[in-house]
């Protein structure tokens, strides 16, 4: 089973990488771009019998820092 | 208009971060996890009249290294 785990900074947490990208895009002449937020994505191939709870635990223990990050698990078709 | 740009390594390109996560998950007792690939995701708020070509150019010029990375643009509802 293929999973996609998207880890993004919580709203309100400062995102210097996103800000840098925003400024760089403006510098390259792309106007009208705002609110850039950078995150990470992990694509995993897990055994079909992996429970939702186990996936959640993987995220909390290793993939995301839940103090400042949110994560979202998407099951791939 | 909200866009989500997903940047992933091309198939065949070595992914040491993914490999490290795979081993760490196994070390934490999560079996049956294979083929971990790490990537980046950018959430952008662009002007509604931004053309697909402009978004493509942003990706090629700044957000992705097209020599080793693929990118995918997803329009958010």
């Amino acid at each position: 089973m293929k999973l996609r785990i998207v880890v993004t900074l919580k709203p309100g947490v400062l995102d210097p990488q996103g800000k840098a990208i925003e400024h760089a895009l403006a510098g390259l002449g792309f106007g009208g771009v705002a609110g850039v937020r950078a995150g990470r994505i992990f694509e995993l191939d897990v055994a079909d019998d992996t429970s939702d709870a186990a996936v959640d635990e993987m995220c909390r223990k290793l993939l995301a820092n839940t103090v400042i990050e949110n994560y979202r698990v998407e099951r791939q078709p």
Side-chain angles (χ1 to χ4, degrees), chain A residues 9 17-18 24-25 28 30 42-45 51 56 58 61 68 76:
Chain A
L9 283 171
Q17 194 189 352
L25 284 173
L28 286 170
F30 298 106
F42 303 103
E43 288 169 339
L44 282 77
D45 215 339
S51 68
D56 240 46
M58 285 180 207
K61 278 199 173 161
I68 55 166
Q76 299 284 82

Side-chain angles (χ1 to χ4, degrees), chain A residues 13-36:
Chain A
V13 176
L14 223 63
D15 182 0
Q17 194 189 352
K19 272 278 166 245
I21 291 168
E22 207 174 308
H23 290 142
L25 284 173
L28 286 170
F30 298 106
V33 180
V36 181

